[in-house]
Amino acid sequence: MNPDALAFISRAPVLVVAGGLACLIALAAFVVLFRQVRRQQEEVDYLERRINTLWQEADAQVGNDGDKSDAPSVDARPRAGVSATERAAYDTLWPLAWELHDRIGTFLRAIDHHEPISDTRLAARHAALDLRRETNRLRPFIDADIDHLLHQLLDAEVKAHLAACQFLDNRDARAREGSENSSRWQWQEHHEQEAVELMNQLVTAIRKRVL
């Protein structure tokens, strides 16, 4: 056999290994480069979102300052502005708070009037879950007193809902009339008294923050 051919054959494993190492190095370099490009793109996207948010808050603040300069004021001390993010949070939370209060009321009235309650009972439960979820999600962006009022409202309405469910269980089990009256009094206290007062306080607190 030709000596050159024998020499090539003897070097073939070395060439294969070298070629494989070169491929691995190229692949590793590509992966590193791809990760760096993706990280840089994520940072650019974050900065763009942050800049847009800051511009929106700045525009809202300028609008608030312009309105205050045109309106007469008896107090010359500057008031802290409310960010667009906080305003948006209240725009989301207030309708959910009202929906919860309304759905609980509808459920209780259905019980009083001996109407079907399966749909209204479920709707009241979903309304409570929606408000709790959004309150927890938006908690970093809202005033601490308003956050406290929202959680108090949730507790009052949930207690009213539970008392009404207990009333239904007692009625279906033909419990004594005294137990039923006790449950009815509890839901009236939580919904028609405590929750109504909390709704009024919530309206006042939000107005003070945004007006």
Side-chain angles (χ1 to χ4, degrees):
M1 182 178 290
N2 191 323
D4 293 336
L6 291 174
F8 177 79
I9 293 173
S10 64
R11 292 196 303 269
V14 177
L15 295 175
V16 171
V17 172
L21 288 175
C23 291
L24 289 175
I25 293 172
L27 179 61
F30 175 79
V31 171
V32 171
L33 179 62
F34 175 78
R35 289 180 177 177
Q36 290 178 346
V37 171
R38 186 175 63 178
R39 186 181 301 110
Q40 291 176 354
Q41 185 61 45
E42 290 175 350
E43 292 176 356
V44 170
D45 292 341
Y46 170 79
L47 289 175
E48 288 179 351
R49 291 194 300 269
R50 181 58 181 161
I51 290 171
N52 289 335
T53 300
L54 291 174
W55 274 115
Q56 292 173 0
E57 294 182 0
D59 290 340
Q61 184 61 43
V62 170
N64 291 339
D65 292 341
D67 292 341
K68 292 176 183 179
S69 63
D70 295 335
S73 175
V74 297
D75 188 355
R77 293 175 300 176
R79 295 178 59 188
V82 176
S83 69
T85 303
E86 185 176 351
R87 286 177 178 269
Y90 299 144
D91 288 341
T92 298
L93 292 171
W94 169 250
L96 293 176
W98 175 255
E99 182 178 13
L100 171 62
H101 188 65
D102 181 65
R103 293 291 173 85
I104 293 291
T106 300
F107 172 51
L108 300 181
R109 287 190 295 273
I111 296 176
D112 272 336
H113 298 157
H114 298 279
E115 298 174 350
I117 52 89
S118 58
D119 290 341
T120 56
R121 182 177 185 171
L122 186 61
R125 182 176 182 274
H126 285 168
L129 293 175
D130 289 343
L131 179 57
R132 188 178 298 278
R133 182 187 65 250
E134 291 302 306
T135 299
N136 290 334
R137 183 177 70 88
L138 297 172
R139 190 173 189 179
F141 311 109
I142 62 177
D143 179 71
D145 291 337
I146 293 177
D147 174 65
H148 182 63
L149 287 172
L150 285 168
H151 280 88
Q152 283 187 308
L153 176 65
L154 273 164
D155 289 343
E157 297 290 17
V158 168
K159 288 177 182 177
H161 187 272
L162 292 176
C165 293
Q166 182 181 3
F167 172 82
L168 288 172
D169 292 341
N170 289 339
R171 187 177 68 182
D172 294 341
R174 296 183 180 180
R176 294 176 303 176
E177 183 178 353
S179 277
E180 294 185 354
N181 289 338
S182 175
S183 297
R184 185 188 298 271
W185 175 82
Q186 288 179 10
W187 91 50
Q188 289 174 344
E189 178 188 22
H190 293 308
H191 176 72
E192 298 175 12
Q193 299 177 30
E194 183 179 358
V196 169
E197 176 61 26
L198 288 169
M199 289 288 286
N200 291 334
Q201 293 181 26
L202 187 60
V203 169
T204 301
I206 292 177
R207 283 176 176 170
K208 286 182 178 179
R209 290 293 300 172
V210 302
L211 297 182

